[in-house]
Amino acid sequence: MTTRDLGSLGSAPRSFNTFNLNSVEPTDVFKFSIGSARNINLSLNNISTGDDADLRLFRDVNGNGILDATDRVSGAVSSSTKARNQDEAINVRGNAGTYFAEVSRFAFGSSGPVSYDLDLSATAPTSTGDYSNLLPKEFVVGNLSADVTRFGNISNTNTADVYSFSLGTFEGVNISLTGLSADADIRVIRDSNNNRIVDPGEEVARSARGGTTSELISNINLSGDYFLQVNQFSGSTAYTATFDRFTTSFP
């Protein structure tokens, strides 16, 4: 098991691309610390075709700087273990301390070496004006050939959800977030350089109304690939995300 010490993790994403796991070294660990309560964002993406890797987050509860059995039992924070090479994501509120992000090869889903990309950031809570800046394809909506409705939950243990979708020529969409019992916001991002990180200028639109008022982003109508982020502002709430597809005017 290889452990990489990243030191203090902040809002600026840290990226590790084309890393590899195999049957001899099936696990990589990334150690980092945060100095205050932050939203910890982890995105495991670009997993090699035909393979499977999982993502877990632990806290260093005994303070020895090593991911050990005590941390795995008492310090387990969150995990993402989707099938095949689907993206894995963890977005949680964490208190100050030292953490371990573990990437592991799922032996029964991988025939050989597994390559992957991992992005990490620790952003300020959205209530202070910050958002997750990572773009895992947590939920793949695909091309919007019809209206689509998705249901989810946002809380301190899942501070952000990310949906990927695309629009074809002469297609547009209105996106709403309804059914809120606490405050949540949405924004649409177009990842122009395909690095799976929200860079300056890539946010297309956002809706950040107060309280439990429904959110709405209207008239996204340029063909291409997009991401919808649902972000916690405060509290815990279920939500309904509706993609209302429409046809744009022909020239």
Side-chain angles (χ1 to χ4, degrees):
M1 179 174 66
T2 301
T3 299
R4 294 170 176 83
D5 191 344
L6 309 185
S8 178
L9 185 65
S11 295
R14 301 283 300 275
S15 297
F16 300 86
N17 297 328
T18 321
F19 273 50
N20 290 280
L21 303 170
N22 54 54
S23 58
V24 177
E25 291 284 345
T27 302
D28 284 340
V29 175
F30 299 81
K31 174 185 171 184
F32 63 89
S33 62
I34 55 176
S36 61
R38 309 282 287 184
N39 285 347
I40 299 172
N41 313 300
L42 307 176
S43 171
L44 181 64
N45 55 80
N46 201 27
I47 301 168
S48 46
T49 302
D51 294 317
D52 194 352
D54 296 328
L55 181 63
R56 295 176 175 85
L57 179 66
F58 303 93
R59 185 167 181 177
D60 185 11
V61 293
N62 53 20
N64 66 357
I66 300 170
L67 177 57
D68 55 26
T70 300
D71 302 324
R72 291 185 180 279
V73 175
S74 301
V77 177
S78 187
S79 64
S80 180
T81 58
K82 293 182 179 179
R84 301 181 298 281
N85 67 329
Q86 298 179 80
D87 287 3
E88 309 285 0
I90 291 175
N91 299 282
V92 298
R93 181 74 53 83
N95 293 322
T98 299
Y99 293 82
F100 305 97
E102 179 187 69
V103 181
S104 58
R105 174 181 180 268
F106 183 60
F108 296 106
S110 305
S111 58
V114 178
S115 67
Y116 68 87
D117 296 343
L118 178 68
D119 302 313
L120 312 89
S121 69
T123 52
T126 306
S127 56
T128 66
D130 220 346
Y131 290 83
S132 170
N133 48 17
L134 307 184
L135 296 171
K137 292 183 178 179
E138 285 186 88
F139 307 102
V140 179
V141 177
N143 178 258
L144 291 178
S145 58
D147 295 349
V148 174
T149 301
R150 293 288 185 267
F151 305 95
N153 293 272
I154 291 294
S155 66
N156 284 350
T157 58
N158 180 43
T159 57
D161 281 340
V162 182
Y163 297 81
S164 64
F165 68 96
S166 61
L167 296 173
T169 305
F170 308 126
E171 291 180 341
V173 65
N174 301 315
I175 302 173
S176 62
L177 192 74
T178 59
L180 302 176
S181 58
D183 199 346
D185 301 328
I186 56 174
R187 65 174 179 166
V188 172
I189 297 115
R190 191 165 190 176
D191 185 22
S192 57
N193 57 5
N194 295 311
N195 67 350
R196 309 294 287 279
I197 290 170
V198 185
D199 295 312
E202 292 186 336
E203 180 179 308
V204 176
R206 74 167 63 180
S207 178
R209 298 170 177 172
T212 59
T213 304
S214 297
E215 307 290 350
L216 176 64
I217 293 176
S218 299
N219 203 33
I220 304 297
N221 59 14
L222 292 177
S223 62
D225 298 326
Y226 295 88
F227 292 89
L228 170 71
Q229 273 191 346
V230 181
N231 290 282
Q232 179 203 39
F233 185 87
S234 63
S236 174
T237 180
Y239 67 80
T240 300
T242 302
F243 299 79
D244 181 15
R245 184 254 191 194
F246 60 86
T247 300
T248 60
S249 300
F250 288 82

